[in-house]
Amino acid sequence: MNPHADKPLHVCVLGAGIVGLATAWQLHQQGHRVTVLDRARAGSGASAANGAQLSYAYVQPLADPGIWRQLPRLLLADDSPLKLRLRPDLHQWVWGLQFLAACRTPVSLRTTASLLALAAESRAGFERLMNEERIQCDFSTTGKLVLYPDATSFSSARRQMQLQQALGGSPQHALSPIESVAVEPALASYAGRFAGAVHTPGECAADCHKVCLELQRLLQARGVRFAFDTPVTQLRRSGGRVVAAETPQGAIEADAFVVALGTASHPLARSLGLRVPVYPLKGYSLTVDASDAPGATPRVSVTDAARKVVFARIGQRLRVAGMAELVGEDMSIPADRVASLVATARALFPEASRYEELRPWAGLRPATPTGLPVAGRLRGGPSNLLFNTGHGALGFTLAFGSAQRIAAQLAPPRKVAIRPFPAAPAACSA
């Protein structure tokens, strides 16, 4: 990997979203020289206005056995929070079939265990950054409530909670609606419309875009080179290695390359004859000014499990985000999706905002069929090419953990001191 194992590498990171920037940060911390390329600006893609929740303890993958009973609605209902629009796209069909194959209990259990471990690593990495650099990102540790609409879904959630706790997850509690209102008074008017909730006191929230900008600032101050508005047109290979990233501004050579391009990772891998099982999972968000009236705006992060909508307080704003659509590379923001988010926000938190200046947004989450990200080299791929993508809706949550795993794969081998065997005692000599 590194012909000069005792020297730092020059690593080129493709992508300046939260995953790419966390990777650049970890590589720089490890002593490597880093260049970051992006076709736009830092945090301008799926990191720009995501749900803002850091869900370290709530990592249940979308590929769950319960998806089977939802299939008719997914395919037919216009107002479904999970939407599939079939396209003449082989990649979508292959991804969809692999997703359905992953909707089995054993697969879901394995994925949950892996995601919990990665989330724990990520939390440690992000908290280390927060403690060392004191970045400004509207960070809070007020916990999270996930609301369930009926007894069946609430019972299933309690089983998932018990599973995660058995796997070493953070403390969680099943609460009645009345107990939920005691945790989050802003839910008072909604208490009669859900069956129960799972409360995770240790969950956090932050503005992901602000974290991206802070990472850019810190990295630039330490000499990391950024090339924005610089799309990668191809990766040039030679002798089983990538030697350069080709861009309209010229070739950028490096010792190693990390692809953290979100949904764009798939076509770049395909150009090398490789397959990254990532497909766009489209989501939407609104950002509104939050009311200062007591009990009006939620302090705790809240997820409406039925509508697949999340709420997070970030500073003086309320982020309302959700839905999941497999509709290809479609960045449009239909009026009915905006109206649906507003209706959900008004139903749960009618006094939280005037809901006038909505600031709508759409983003394409890079999702794998199982929900596990791709973090490392690909079989049959160049030896110095790594991928860090496929985090789905957990990109912010998992970014620092997967960055640490990438950095570990690029770390030089540790030198082990070999101690000579002691000389044999004289009495034992021939």
Side-chain angles (χ1 to χ4, degrees):
M1 184 67 201
N2 180 7
H4 308 287
D6 58 337
K7 297 180 180 179
L9 297 167
H10 175 205
V11 186
C12 184
V13 177
L14 313 184
I18 186 60
V19 172
L21 289 166
T23 302
W25 174 258
Q26 192 63 37
L27 290 169
H28 178 269
Q29 293 292 96
Q30 195 166 278
H32 297 299
R33 183 162 62 94
V34 181
T35 297
V36 180
L37 309 182
D38 197 276
R39 62 185 175 185
R41 311 297 293 180
S44 61
S47 303
N50 59 23
Q53 293 186 358
L54 290 159
S55 299
Y56 298 118
Y58 192 85
V59 296
Q60 183 176 10
L62 184 62
D64 180 83
I67 206 76
W68 289 100
R69 64 176 178 270
Q70 302 177 43
L71 271 182
R73 186 162 186 252
L74 295 183
L75 293 170
L76 301 174
D78 291 334
D79 62 346
S80 171
L82 299 174
K83 184 177 179 181
L84 170 62
R85 186 168 71 223
L86 295 176
R87 300 161 54 85
D89 177 359
L90 179 61
H91 178 42
Q92 184 197 52
W93 284 77
V94 171
W95 190 97
L97 290 173
Q98 291 178 331
F99 172 79
L100 291 176
C103 293
R104 296 179 290 120
T105 299
V107 177
S108 181
L109 292 177
R110 289 196 301 270
T111 300
T112 297
S114 296
L115 290 175
L116 280 172
L118 182 56
E121 295 172 33
S122 195
R123 180 172 199 152
F126 185 50
E127 289 182 349
R128 188 159 52 247
L129 170 69
M130 293 285 296
N131 291 335
E132 293 175 357
E133 302 297 337
R134 304 291 181 183
I135 65 173
Q136 301 301 310
C137 59
D138 296 322
F139 179 76
S140 64
T141 56
T142 51
K144 176 176 176 176
L145 281 167
V146 182
L147 314 182
Y148 294 92
D150 51 48
T152 300
S153 61
F154 188 35
S155 176
S156 177
R158 291 199 299 272
R159 289 194 297 271
Q160 178 70 16
M161 180 185 73
Q162 292 165 358
L163 164 67
Q164 294 189 174
Q165 290 180 340
L167 293 171
S170 300
Q172 295 179 300
H173 312 284
L175 304 182
S176 69
I178 293 176
E179 292 170 325
S180 301
V181 172
V183 171
E184 179 46 74
L187 283 168
S189 65
Y190 195 69
R193 299 171 67 180
F194 64 97
V198 170
H199 180 219
T200 311
E203 298 286 57
C204 312
D207 187 326
C208 184
H209 187 246
K210 286 188 176 182
V211 175
C212 289
L213 296 180
E214 287 283 80
L215 282 171
Q216 178 194 346
R217 176 183 63 82
L218 292 169
L219 288 166
Q220 284 182 319
R222 288 160 169 79
V224 170
R225 176 192 172 195
F226 283 84
F228 291 127
D229 302 312
T230 305
V232 176
T233 55
Q234 70 175 56
L235 294 175
R236 192 190 335 141
R237 299 178 66 167
S238 177
R241 294 169 58 84
V242 172
V243 295
E246 300 284 358
T247 79
Q249 287 75 37
I252 297 177
E253 298 180 350
D255 300 311
F257 296 81
V258 180
V259 179
L261 292 171
T263 60
S265 302
H266 169 73
L268 188 63
R270 188 174 55 193
S271 71
L272 297 172
L274 306 172
R275 184 172 186 275
V276 173
V278 168
Y279 194 80
L281 196 63
K282 185 180 182 181
Y284 303 89
S285 79
L286 306 173
T287 306
V288 297
D289 295 330
S291 170
D292 289 328
T297 304
R299 182 181 61 89
V300 174
S301 294
V302 174
T303 296
D304 184 329
R307 296 180 175 93
K308 298 291 189 292
V309 173
V310 303
F311 300 84
R313 178 74 177 263
I314 43 177
Q316 296 304 307
R317 298 161 295 150
L318 178 66
R319 177 68 49 78
V320 184
M323 306 179 190
E325 299 181 350
L326 273 76
V327 294
E329 298 281 342
D330 177 5
M331 289 293 292
S332 64
I333 306 178
D336 64 330
R337 289 318 224 181
V338 174
S340 177
L341 286 176
V342 172
T344 299
R346 288 187 181 279
L348 270 72
F349 305 111
E351 305 299 326
S353 175
R354 298 175 67 180
Y355 298 108
E356 293 179 348
E357 186 179 348
L358 300 176
R359 299 190 284 278
W361 173 87
L364 302 177
R365 314 177 188 105
T368 64
T370 62
L372 282 175
V374 178
R377 301 176 181 87
L378 297 184
R379 182 179 300 177
S383 61
N384 65 335
L385 177 66
L386 293 82
F387 285 80
N388 195 6
T389 187
H391 300 74
L394 294 173
F396 192 14
T397 296
L398 303 177
F400 288 85
S402 61
Q404 291 173 181
R405 294 189 180 186
I406 292 293
Q409 294 180 57
L410 290 174
R414 292 184 178 180
K415 294 181 179 179
V416 179
I418 300 176
R419 298 179 180 177
F421 287 106
C428 295
S429 59

